[in-house]
Amino acid sequence: FLLRPAVDLLDDLVEDCLPAGMENFAVPSDGAEDAEYPTYRLIDGGYTEVTSAAFNLGKMQADCKEGKLDCTDGLRMIVFDHDLGLGLPPLFKRPGISPGEPTLFAGYAGAAFPGNLAPTSTIFEESYSDLMDWTTYISAADNNGTAARYWIGTLTTVANSWFNVVGGERVRVALFEPGQNALATDQTPEPQSSTGSLINRLTQKVEENLASSADAFLGDTQKPQVEVYAQPNELQE
């Protein structure tokens, strides 16, 4: 109880002071050392749209229109939500929120309450709560208390200019909620008995190796992205 005032003060400082210039560590999209308008810096998808489904849908529709993809059999998508149910709801219609409208709800999967202000990634006309007949493929008892499940069906797109999504198209969609955010592997059931101890030992070994060569993996660099990583791809350009 004596530490509570200090903890509250630190919480207030964190909320008021962050990112404290740390946003400058993000990689500029063009690989340059500095990012000035219209160049932008990359950001973790949890602060905007954690599944990347909205961006991918817009790109798929554009590629279909330009004839880069054969879409004669219709559009199909598979979307994984590893954030324990936080990633899928922003993709669906919500009362009082227009597709693309900047809201705190859009980035709540990656940012502390009440969320990070970002364009809402609504791409489907339907409501998330209206999705019925989910199929469970790992029980809650075998999955850290949250059942892993999936849903397959057809949804209707809504126009969202932020993500270049065209409205009024029907998309065959498979949605997966593994419910395994607490696991190191993210998508597989927690290992048991001897297998678990083996994986734990391997994980510890990898962590030790990474820590011993942190400079090589995570060290600072003044070189452009094109030299350190690779040439910018078509999407970045």
Side-chain angles (χ1 to χ4, degrees):
F1 293 104
L2 294 177
L3 292 177
R4 174 52 57 185
V7 172
D8 291 340
L9 177 60
L10 287 175
D11 284 343
D12 291 340
L13 288 173
V14 168
E15 291 293 334
D16 293 339
C17 297
L18 288 180
M22 289 189 290
E23 69 275 12
N24 293 324
F25 290 124
V27 178
S29 61
D30 63 354
E33 293 184 17
D34 299 315
E36 298 180 359
Y37 183 84
T39 300
Y40 56 87
R41 291 183 182 274
L42 306 180
I43 189 173
D44 186 289
Y47 293 96
T48 53
E49 200 274 280
V50 70
T51 68
S52 78
F55 172 83
N56 286 326
L57 176 59
K59 186 66 169 63
M60 179 168 58
Q61 288 179 317
D63 286 347
C64 288
K65 183 178 181 180
E66 295 177 11
K68 295 181 179 180
L69 299 176
D70 182 3
C71 303
T72 53
D73 291 333
L75 303 179
R76 294 182 176 87
M77 293 190 70
I78 298 177
V79 186
F80 281 87
D81 173 19
H82 67 282
D83 276 326
L84 299 179
L86 298 179
L88 295 181
L91 303 177
F92 294 82
K93 271 286 191 73
R94 290 181 67 85
I97 299 179
S98 301
E101 178 181 346
T103 62
L104 295 174
F105 171 72
Y108 81 128
F113 180 84
N116 188 71
L117 187 64
T120 304
S121 54
T122 308
I123 56 175
F124 296 127
E125 177 70 33
E126 295 78 7
S127 298
Y128 177 74
S129 59
D130 291 338
L131 302 183
M132 308 297 290
D133 300 323
W134 286 81
T135 299
T136 297
Y137 62 94
I138 302 179
S139 68
D142 294 327
N143 200 45
N144 291 323
T146 302
R149 61 179 190 168
Y150 68 87
W151 180 91
I152 298 177
T154 302
L155 301 172
T156 305
T157 65
V158 293
N160 190 328
S161 59
W162 281 96
F163 299 93
N164 199 34
V165 172
V166 177
E169 294 193 356
R170 300 285 282 172
V171 186
R172 187 68 174 171
V173 183
L175 306 175
F176 285 84
E177 290 185 342
Q180 294 156 356
N181 195 36
L183 301 182
T185 51
D186 230 12
Q187 306 296 338
T188 58
E190 185 175 14
Q192 304 293 330
S193 64
S194 59
T195 304
S197 60
L198 174 60
I199 292 179
N200 289 337
R201 292 199 300 273
L202 290 173
T203 302
Q204 183 178 359
K205 189 65 176 179
V206 171
E207 290 175 348
E208 291 174 353
N209 289 338
L210 288 177
S212 64
S213 56
D215 289 340
F217 282 87
L218 305 173
D220 293 334
T221 179
Q222 298 299 319
K223 297 180 180 180
Q225 176 181 341
V226 64
E227 293 182 24
V228 179
Y229 301 104
Q231 291 281 350
N233 58 40
E234 180 181 350
L235 298 182
Q236 291 173 314
E237 295 173 348

